Amino acid sequence: MAASALLASLALLGGCSAWSDGPGYYWQSMAGHLAVMREARPIRELLAQPGIDPALRRKLEQVLEIRRFASADLALPANGSYTEYADLKRPFVVWNVFATPELSMKLEEWCFPVAGCVTYRGYYDRQDAERFAAKLRADGFEAFVRGVPAYSTLGWFDDPVLNTFVRYPDGELARLVFHELAHQVLYVKGDSTFNESFATAVEQVGLERWLAAREAAGGDPALRREWQRFAERREQFLALLKRYRGELEAAYASPVPDDEKRASKREIFASLRRDYEALKEQWGGYAGYDRWFAQPLTNAHLASVATYTEQVPAFRALLAQEGDDLPAFYAAARRLGELPKADRERALAALAPLARPTPQAALAPQAPPRASAPATPALTLLSPKPGR
């Protein structure tokens, strides 16, 4: 593939950079992604091997079923994405770097000539990410390095299943695949809220239908209960971060001296840690989000948890308007994507009052049961570590 096409595909997955940073950043993006692709092996070939780990075998079989459902029942792209598996022998595929000023929640931006500007820089080597974060700190910024388990190349490549997320609970695995394939259906340059809201609406509908199909086929609600527990924890964690992000924004906006703002900042971060420990106790000791607190807390931690899903109700209303027909919904969403941004936002705002209630209430027992994923940042940046 031509280098320009490769760069375009990598702009979303690994952060952006002005060319003034030199070719090194672009080279690591290209080389890193190609290294991932070299590790990919067809899942069906792996399943034919007698010595494959039984737990991995079950997960890969589940991926193929999810992949089939995505195309056959959700009209998502029928291509080679998520039909191969790559073991990268590391916990994340990319490490993203986020940065803010000391007393501000405004993230720094880096721009790419094809895909536009994003608020992170991505590296395939953690040490490279840490070095860039150290440079930002030396320049007076607060910086946070966060591992990313998955990304989408927007259809430029057949994205493989990775060891970094394959062992997630089945519901989360399905949600991730549906979400990333939705980005292949529609991506509008420079409008993260539109893109993530659309993909989140697709993942919600997809997960609702997939869980319903699984339960109808087997009659066992265990998968729904597992997803419910997983989704509730993530929703509670995101709500905690959103609350404390708001407290920091209010502290920085207050008309007091900077030293008082710094004191408030220290108190807010200490309180956040205490409340997280209380939340873990409520969860029975579940520590899936501990790695988020592994580094000293900074503004960049909370600023990086951007809520890009505010237009999800409008997209759900658009789907209802199209008779719950997904291909018609995709076509209508593409038409919206072609509008100037201001017109697009007005059209979505007009749809929002028509939105059905989101299926969050489905997390409580109801008949017929439904479930959905809570709003999350782009890709799967806040997916917790699987297990207890």
Side-chain angles (χ1 to χ4, degrees):
M1 177 175 289
S4 60
L6 179 57
L7 287 173
S9 71
L10 296 180
L12 183 67
L13 64 91
C16 299
S17 166
W19 187 254
S20 60
D21 288 326
Y25 180 78
Y26 292 88
W27 174 250
Q28 70 87 28
S29 293
M30 290 188 289
H33 179 69
L34 292 176
V36 170
M37 300 304 294
R38 282 196 298 271
E39 295 299 322
R41 300 291 181 271
I43 291 177
R44 294 196 182 280
E45 288 184 12
L46 293 173
L47 292 176
Q49 297 177 5
I52 187 173
D53 172 61
L56 178 59
R57 173 186 292 278
R58 194 194 76 78
K59 283 295 185 180
L60 292 178
E61 289 172 343
Q62 189 64 253
V63 167
L64 291 183
E65 190 276 327
I66 291 168
R67 189 64 188 82
R68 182 208 61 77
F69 186 90
S71 294
D73 293 72
L74 305 179
L76 290 169
N79 55 29
S81 290
Y82 309 111
T83 63
E84 295 185 317
Y85 173 71
D87 184 353
L88 307 180
K89 297 179 173 58
R90 61 181 190 255
F92 299 105
V93 59
V94 174
W95 283 265
N96 279 354
V97 182
F98 302 87
T100 66
E102 179 195 7
L103 297 175
S104 170
M105 299 301 288
K106 180 175 172 55
L107 286 165
E108 286 295 293
E109 281 193 345
W110 292 273
C111 297
F112 190 85
V114 176
C117 299
V118 293
T119 55
Y120 55 87
R121 283 275 296 269
Y123 294 86
Y124 283 86
D125 185 289
R126 180 170 186 171
Q127 294 308 309
D128 288 344
E130 295 289 357
R131 279 191 288 271
F132 183 66
K135 178 180 180 297
L136 289 167
R137 293 180 190 117
D139 290 338
F141 292 97
E142 294 192 348
F144 169 47
V145 178
R146 187 165 71 194
V148 179
Y151 60 72
S152 171
T153 59
L154 307 180
W156 285 99
F157 294 87
D158 288 335
D159 299 321
V161 178
L162 304 176
N163 67 292
T164 55
F165 63 83
V166 72
R167 296 182 188 272
Y168 282 170
D170 289 352
E172 172 67 358
L173 193 56
R175 184 202 69 79
L176 186 152
V177 170
F178 300 155
H179 185 103
E180 304 304 350
L181 287 173
H183 282 309
Q184 295 186 18
V185 171
L186 177 60
Y187 174 77
V188 176
K189 177 181 174 180
D191 196 339
S192 295
T193 299
F194 181 89
N195 295 326
E196 291 305 320
S197 295
F198 170 77
T200 299
V202 173
E203 84 176 38
Q204 287 182 355
V205 174
L207 194 61
E208 292 160 22
R209 296 184 184 185
W210 182 74
L211 287 171
R214 286 286 301 270
E215 195 162 341
D220 184 357
L223 179 61
R224 186 179 297 279
R225 287 196 298 267
E226 178 189 42
W227 168 251
Q228 174 183 332
R229 183 171 62 251
F230 185 95
E232 284 177 336
R233 286 170 176 167
R234 183 170 58 191
E235 189 168 14
Q236 289 172 331
F237 183 66
L238 288 170
L240 178 71
L241 300 188
K242 182 178 179 181
R243 176 160 60 88
Y244 277 97
R245 176 177 172 160
E247 290 190 17
L248 283 171
E249 288 173 337
Y252 297 150
S254 63
V256 300
D258 285 353
D259 283 347
E260 290 187 31
K261 292 180 181 180
R262 292 185 182 101
S264 295
K265 176 181 178 179
R266 288 192 294 271
E267 293 172 4
I268 289 169
F269 280 140
S271 182
L272 169 57
R273 285 189 179 276
R274 288 193 298 271
D275 280 0
Y276 173 63
E277 291 301 321
L279 195 57
K280 281 175 58 178
E281 186 174 342
Q282 178 184 325
W283 293 339
Y286 175 77
Y289 291 103
D290 277 8
R291 68 188 182 199
W292 196 83
F293 290 89
Q295 303 174 50
L297 290 178
T298 68
N299 296 332
H301 272 73
L302 290 167
S304 66
V305 186
T307 302
Y308 289 134
T309 53
E310 62 192 56
Q311 293 169 346
V312 171
F315 279 110
R316 294 300 299 253
L318 181 62
L319 175 62
Q321 198 173 84
E322 297 296 332
D324 289 328
D325 180 280
L326 282 169
F329 166 66
Y330 299 155
R334 288 191 191 97
R335 290 192 293 272
L336 282 176
E338 293 169 358
L339 296 174
K341 186 173 182 179
D343 294 343
R344 186 163 62 239
E345 290 178 347
R346 278 193 291 270
L348 287 166
L351 280 166
L354 306 175
R356 297 172 177 172
T358 59
Q360 294 297 330
L363 295 175
Q366 294 183 18
R370 292 164 64 87
S372 74
T376 58
L379 306 180
T380 54
L381 300 184
L382 283 183
S383 291
K385 184 177 180 180
R388 194 170 186 274

